[in-house]
Amino acid sequence: MTTSKLLAQIPDSYFGKTMGQKVNHGPLPLVNMAVGIPDGKTPQIIVDKFIEAIQEPSNQKYVAFHGKASFKKAIVDFYKRHYDVELDQDEEVCILYGTKNGLVALPTCVVNPGENVLLPNPGYTDYLAGVLLARANPYSLELKPEFNYLPQWNDVDNHILNNTTLIYLTYPNNPTGSVATRSFFDETVERFKDTKTNIVHDFAYSAFGFDTKNPSILQSEHAKETAIEIYSLSKGYNMSGYRVGFAVGNKDMIASLKKYQTHTHAGMFGALQDAGTTALNECDDFLLQQNEIFKKRRTNFEAALNKVNIPFEPMKGGIFLWMETPPTFDGESFVEYLLQEKSILVAPGIPFGDNGKNYVRISLALDDHDLNEGAKRLQELAHLY
């Protein structure tokens, strides 16, 4: 097999390697708490629109490379309605075939070889691939529990920061379940707005904020001078298989992403855009229901762990709980122990950065029966702590 030197230096994707693989586990029925795909159905109104749109002759041909005006208007209206953010649908919106594509492509679009990119540690695993494909230099942006997993800009080495072109942020954070505040985004935008450093905020779990609604970075004054935000329909609307998302914000970064896309694909299937338009325009109530479902799951699951004093990070948003391993385990060895002893599958913390070495990530995207069963089996391991 022939592989380029560039591709060879990029680590295999953890979830690309493990998702869908056969799992060898102990004698109990498997409880899979590793996958971050919401377990509910897509709202019927979206499914019905998709079925109708597939049969529309205009959707059976190429559509405009940069998206239908109706879908872009729905994005603009959504951001105005939910965040009071004004967007120009032609210059400040880029439609994405899955947000991962945009997150991985972005460094190639806006970072030069040899420049620095700061990646949250812990944070989503596949940001690194985008940086390496752009021949840029990845640096760890340290996120610590004592600061609620928010970066402390004054603690970042100035030599690294001065040559940093792009910073990745993601709140609610995958994997820790921590959230950002409006004041943090205000401070961050103020810090970088007149520098060469741009920001991309991965807002994939935007719908899930349990104590308060998650802020958009674009709500901060001057944010569009330095930041874009990438929004996914996968999690909030149970549309992970549709692969629909978008980037909004800084017009120069948006223009670069759009130019890149004209060379990599010929526009999103029109029926998907129509389904996405229906989601954004007509399903606000469903987002509220999703949040309530996961808030209840979070509350019950945390209560079960607290009852037996198993340590974890408080889950303020998203769909994952970040749990410490027992003292004699690291994340990878504890994953194997859980599989063999309790037939529970979770994700090790280390793929999310070396700050995750002694953690595992637990998904709450399971029905109540499996969640309760998983919690009960974990309670039986309290003696390990």
Side-chain angles (χ1 to χ4, degrees):
M1 183 177 72
T2 301
T3 302
S4 71
K5 292 180 181 179
L6 178 61
L7 187 60
Q9 72 168 317
I10 297 172
D12 288 340
S13 165
Y14 173 76
F15 291 105
K17 216 171 29 174
T18 59
M19 194 169 171
Q21 296 295 310
K22 183 178 179 181
V23 176
N24 295 314
H25 60 86
L28 296 170
L30 180 68
V31 177
N32 187 344
M33 309 184 83
V35 179
I37 301 172
D39 51 303
K41 295 180 179 179
T42 307
Q44 193 61 43
I45 190 174
I46 299 173
V47 175
D48 290 343
K49 183 62 181 180
F50 186 48
I51 292 170
E52 173 190 324
I54 288 173
Q55 300 175 72
E56 172 61 44
S58 63
N59 283 332
Q60 296 162 17
K61 301 176 174 64
Y62 286 134
V63 295
F65 267 41
H66 298 309
K68 292 186 172 188
S70 55
F71 187 30
K72 291 186 289 186
K73 184 177 186 303
I75 294 167
V76 169
D77 291 347
F78 179 87
Y79 257 74
K80 177 63 178 175
R81 192 167 67 249
H82 284 263
Y83 306 110
D84 197 27
V85 170
E86 304 272 359
L87 294 168
D88 182 297
Q89 71 179 47
D90 295 317
E91 293 196 322
E92 295 175 342
V93 175
C94 176
I95 293 167
L96 300 171
Y97 246 135
T99 56
K100 178 176 175 177
N101 287 343
L103 290 163
V104 173
L106 185 64
T108 297
C109 301
V110 302
V111 178
N112 294 310
E115 293 178 339
N116 299 339
V117 179
L118 292 181
L119 302 179
N121 180 7
Y124 179 56
T125 61
D126 285 320
Y127 300 148
L128 175 63
V131 179
L132 297 178
L133 286 169
R135 297 177 173 85
N137 302 321
Y139 282 93
S140 173
L141 179 60
E142 298 292 307
L143 305 183
K144 299 179 180 179
E146 57 264 37
F147 299 115
N148 299 314
Y149 292 98
L150 294 172
Q152 304 301 295
W153 301 119
N154 291 334
D155 293 342
V156 181
D157 185 290
N158 278 331
H159 179 72
I160 294 172
L161 202 57
N162 290 338
N163 192 39
T164 292
T165 306
L166 186 64
I167 297 171
Y168 280 77
L169 298 174
T170 175
Y171 295 100
N173 179 273
N174 173 15
T176 69
S178 59
V179 296
T181 61
R182 172 69 184 272
S183 62
F184 165 74
F185 283 143
D186 289 345
E187 173 197 346
T188 298
V189 169
E190 185 63 27
R191 174 87 180 227
F192 295 107
K193 67 181 174 69
D194 294 318
T195 72
K196 70 176 185 179
T197 304
N198 290 314
I199 300 161
V200 53
H201 179 226
D202 179 359
F203 209 19
Y205 298 93
S206 57
F208 306 94
F210 304 137
D211 299 326
T212 187
K213 183 174 181 177
N214 293 307
S216 162
I217 195 173
L218 299 184
Q219 291 175 291
S220 297
E221 189 176 6
H222 305 298
K224 287 194 287 185
E225 295 176 21
T226 191
I228 64 170
E229 190 157 72
I230 294 189
Y231 192 99
S232 172
L233 274 63
S234 294
K235 310 304 191 291
Y237 300 98
N238 290 336
M239 293 178 67
S240 55
Y242 293 70
R243 312 307 302 137
V244 179
F246 54 85
V248 290
N250 178 268
K251 65 179 182 180
D252 295 327
M253 284 194 280
I254 293 296
S256 296
L257 267 175
K258 289 165 74 173
K259 179 178 180 179
Y260 179 89
Q261 288 193 138
T262 62
H263 295 291
T264 56
H265 64 76
M268 179 181 285
F269 182 28
L272 286 175
Q273 295 187 56
D274 292 343
T277 298
T278 295
L280 294 173
N281 285 343
E282 302 185 43
C283 295
D284 286 357
D285 287 346
F286 187 79
L287 293 181
L288 297 175
Q289 294 168 23
Q290 281 279 79
N291 189 52
E292 286 303 311
I293 288 169
F294 278 85
K295 181 178 181 178
K296 180 179 178 182
R297 291 175 177 179
R298 180 282 310 256
T299 300
N300 292 340
F301 201 84
E302 285 191 347
L305 297 183
N306 279 325
K307 187 174 182 180
V308 295
N309 298 315
I310 292 179
F312 60 89
E313 295 302 323
M315 184 180 173
K316 301 296 186 181
I319 66 173
F320 304 112
L321 184 133
W322 193 232
M323 191 177 85
E324 292 184 40
T325 63
T328 56
F329 292 85
D330 63 12
E332 291 174 308
S333 62
F334 194 48
V335 166
E336 188 59 28
Y337 181 87
L338 288 173
L339 264 179
Q340 300 310 318
E341 298 298 322
K342 294 297 178 183
S343 297
I344 295 173
L345 178 62
V346 299
I350 194 65
F352 301 95
D354 57 15
N355 286 341
K357 180 180 179 181
N358 295 316
Y359 289 86
V360 292
R361 191 194 75 173
I362 296 175
S363 171
L364 302 191
L366 294 86
D367 63 33
D368 289 344
H369 175 271
D370 283 350
L371 269 179
N372 292 337
E373 180 63 22
K376 178 183 174 183
R377 295 183 197 177
L378 288 172
Q379 287 178 321
E380 295 168 353
L381 300 177
H383 64 281
L384 296 174
Y385 290 87

